[in-house]
Amino acid sequence: MSLASMIQPEVVAQFYHAVLTVVVVLITIGLAVVLIRWVWRLIAESESPSVSREDLCDRAPKIWGKEGLWRALGALWVLDGLLQLQPAMPNYAFLEMVIAPNLLGQPGWVVRVMGWGIQAWSNAPITADVVAVFVQLGIGLALLAGRWRPWGRWALWTSLFWGLFVWILGEGMGGILTGQASLVIGDPGSVLFYMASAGLLLLPDAMWLAGQVRRGVRWGVVGLWLWGALVQAWPGAGFWSGPALGTLFQNAAQNAQPLWLSGPIYATAHWVTHHGLVANGVIVGMMSLLALLWAWRPYGRGTMAVTMGWLGVLWWLGQDFGVLGGVGTDPNTAPVFALLLGTAAWSQKPLADVPALRFIPWFRAKRGAETLSVERGRRV
């Protein structure tokens, strides 16, 4: 059954009407809040001096990796919220093509828990999808706009709870209990990386600058690559059989997309199907090699280059970029994994030491003021 045949125009119309209604309500509330804050600020400034520009500069981000992760995580949540606006989402196509396949091979208790979520969504699909849209957009926008505000941390905590909900009910715990999980197709689930990112951002700056985040991510990456190699090599998963391994790539190729994107995936699926033993050996060997590289020379140029290259291959051939096909809910695991690695590599880099930012006038003026302050302190 094609995706178009699963989409009911009347359901889509009702969904977009509900979304528009919520947007109007939120804009009205937002304008009211802005007006109240503006009046309150006028009253406060008349009674006490305003905050100086220098004070605001002191609150600027100090760690390049943490700042980059914060912004990128916010953008990813916004993207996920926008993807939930696709016409297939409030229709049963979303449940049949995205959620239901995650039930295969799950233990009984996971099937029951996921069944509860599927039933709840089926009872009110439009309401459920509207909630998903605005929760994810809310998390993303709060992160982007609240870097130095309390609601930024509230958004991080919300993302942890929402992420756990999505990971269990939507992703079936990343397939880790099915016996057929594979890092090739994005297991143990992209939202798990979202949650890991939120957890890192909740850590104090001292842990970032002391290298604890860098070390923690390093050994987490080693463990993840070892897990990926083990589940790929596990005989019970059946990946040493060409047809079973080829199915992983075949499923990605079948998504609606341009031929120049699907062609290489079909070619890979065809080759893997006829050379399953060799293909799975290459996959297991690459993951084992990456585990060794991260244990031996973490964050080295060679290690980073090989890792990013392999993640790029998996993102295209195994995960089909995540967002294609009309029912994609996120970019999948590979880009979020790569984001975490880049973040950890820059986790001890003060923002003032990033050369590219010296071309920004505000940053150059701020840096000059900091240098002058240091020089005055030395003279004293």
Side-chain angles (χ1 to χ4, degrees), residues 219-230:
W219 292 113
V221 170
V222 171
L224 184 63
W225 285 124
L226 284 176
W227 174 83
L230 288 173

Side-chain angles (χ1 to χ4, degrees), residues 297-367:
R297 290 187 61 84
Y299 307 107
R301 291 184 180 180
T303 300
M304 293 294 287
V306 174
T307 303
M308 295 302 178
W310 181 245
L311 287 176
V313 170
L314 295 184
W315 193 34
W316 183 355
L317 302 181
Q319 301 168 24
D320 198 30
F321 303 109
V323 299
L324 302 176
V327 290
T329 58
D330 57 68
N332 217 315
T333 298
V336 193
F337 191 1
L339 172 64
L340 276 174
L341 299 182
T343 294
W346 289 77
S347 62
Q348 291 179 278
K349 191 78 169 178
L351 194 67
D353 292 344
V354 180
L357 296 182
R358 296 173 186 170
F359 295 98
I360 302 176
W362 169 84
F363 179 81
R364 188 167 60 248
K366 178 180 179 295
R367 180 62 175 159

